[in-house]
Amino acid sequence: MSTFTPLSGSATPKPAAAASVRRTASAAVLAVLALAATACSSSGGDPLGGGASTSAAGSAPTSAAGGSGTSPAAAPGGTVVVGSANFPENVLLGSIYSQALRAKGVKVEEKFNIGSREVLYGQLQSGSLSVLPEYNGALLAYLGGKSADPTSAAVNAELTKTLPASLGILESSPAEDKDTLSISQESADKFGLKTIADLAAKAGEFTIGGPPEFKSRQEQPLKDVYGLTFKEWKSTGETTANAVKDGSIQVGNVFSTDPKITQLKLVPLADPKNLFGAQNVTPLVNKAKVDATATGALNAVSAKLDTAGLLALMKKVAVDKEDPSAVAKDWLKSSGLS
């Protein structure tokens, strides 16, 4: 294999169409760590955050070990092994990576639905896996690192310093799976709300909802960073998006790639003060297992993938029940990457 191409820069997160997505200094750092520890993906789990290995919708089970403590055998020399966690979004991203690599003539083996970050990270270190779709903020928190600056570039700089020498990150995509404060389209139109800062005039009249731990972890940061004091906090869990739509709450903690944003026509409010720090989709690689061709193919994917696009793809997978591999294939073709 040729020499690993180091990270040459990080894509700056871009707003999704009609809705920008997801911290200042000390409050920001605390919020980053709380988010990374508890954030949910659109499939109902923390991005790579844990849980027993299960088969994601539309994807064949993998033969790789989940939480058993045993590692699968490494792939034959020259093969790039693309892994994924056990939730649909990560399987989709893994399929995008693997097909993009094959389009460039790279020999690929897929090992999807493996399990939590703890299992995946160890397999990447051992060389059993070569590439993994990661989320930069959550990965940094997992490794015990901190960044006073919540931007993607700063988080990636800390990651580069924190990762062991055998591992590296490639270019981050603008796509993020992260917390948002979302409202109904009706509220957005009626009150002229576009950003979290705009809530200051209405928060005292609004009820906010989210996972059970959302109030304890985010009430103070929302006060400190945006000066928001809400009328009431409700624990709405997986029903949060629906509760926003039906009006039982006015503001909900919905994740940026949750297909319900599209289904229910919700509006994620822009986060100009970066309360919710970077969670960019980022390839994590074993440096010895990827060459310049593989690196180029993965960086090309990152350059094309944004949050709005990932949200649209997740609707196809989670709502329309399309096969992740077919969805990945269509996206790569339309993006000029296959």
Side-chain angles (χ1 to χ4, degrees):
M1 290 289 180
S2 63
T3 304
F4 170 74
T5 304
L7 180 71
S8 59
S10 301
T12 302
K14 300 177 182 177
S20 177
V21 291
R22 8 212 191 172
R23 302 181 189 181
T24 57
S26 58
V29 174
L30 292 174
V32 168
L33 295 176
L35 167 68
T38 62
C40 295
S41 77
S42 57
S43 62
D46 177 1
L48 307 188
S53 178
T54 58
S55 179
S59 176
T62 178
S63 59
S68 65
T70 60
S71 297
T79 300
V80 173
V81 185
V82 181
S84 88
N86 56 335
F87 59 93
E89 180 180 291
N90 212 243
V91 173
L92 170 65
L93 290 167
S95 190
I96 289 173
Y97 284 2
S98 67
Q99 292 186 54
L101 290 166
R102 287 191 179 111
K104 295 299 182 181
V106 178
K107 186 178 179 182
V108 175
E109 181 179 349
E110 295 177 348
K111 292 184 178 179
F112 296 163
N113 290 307
I114 293 174
S116 69
R117 179 177 281 111
E118 288 78 3
V119 176
L120 290 160
Y121 188 81
Q123 292 186 10
L124 202 70
Q125 282 187 299
S126 72
S128 298
L129 296 178
S130 312
V131 180
L132 176 69
E134 259 289 5
Y135 304 83
N136 56 357
L139 177 60
L140 181 62
Y142 170 76
L143 296 172
K146 298 179 181 180
S147 175
D149 182 342
T151 64
S152 181
V155 168
N156 282 349
E158 288 299 320
L159 265 176
T160 300
K161 292 189 289 187
T162 305
L163 285 165
S166 62
L167 303 183
I169 53 172
L170 303 184
E171 299 285 352
S172 285
S173 74
E176 297 186 89
D177 181 355
K178 65 186 296 181
D179 291 88
T180 74
L181 294 189
S182 291
I183 61 176
S184 67
Q185 184 66 62
E186 291 78 9
S187 290
D189 294 340
K190 181 178 180 179
F191 302 112
L193 304 176
K194 297 180 180 179
T195 76
I196 296 175
D198 294 339
L199 286 172
K202 303 299 297 182
E205 305 170 29
F206 283 177
T207 297
I208 186 171
E213 68 277 5
F214 181 59
K215 182 177 188 292
S216 63
R217 291 175 174 169
Q218 299 297 352
E219 184 176 23
Q220 195 60 49
L222 282 167
K223 287 180 181 179
D224 293 341
V225 177
Y226 283 107
L228 302 182
T229 301
F230 288 93
K231 175 184 177 181
E232 183 182 359
W233 289 70
K234 287 186 177 180
S235 176
T236 48
E238 293 183 0
T239 68
T240 299
N242 298 86
V244 173
K245 181 64 176 179
D246 68 25
S248 55
I249 62 174
Q250 288 71 53
V251 182
N253 175 219
V254 183
F255 287 82
S256 61
T257 58
D258 188 332
K260 286 186 177 180
I261 289 176
T262 301
Q263 270 186 298
L264 304 178
K265 298 182 180 180
L266 304 187
V267 178
L269 296 173
D271 181 12
K273 297 184 179 180
N274 292 308
L275 174 66
F276 304 121
Q279 293 290 355
N280 300 84
V281 175
T282 305
L284 176 64
V285 301
N286 183 304
K287 296 178 183 180
K289 301 294 183 177
V290 293
D291 61 11
T293 300
T295 298
L298 295 169
N299 284 341
V301 167
S302 291
K304 295 281 189 178
L305 188 66
D306 60 16
T307 304
L310 183 55
L311 176 59
L313 297 179
M314 280 307 300
K315 177 183 180 297
K316 293 181 179 181
V317 172
V319 178
D320 302 335
K321 305 302 181 183
E322 295 184 27
D323 178 66
S325 178
V327 172
K329 180 179 179 180
D330 289 345
W331 180 82
L332 287 163
K333 183 177 180 180
S334 67
S335 300
L337 298 176
S338 65

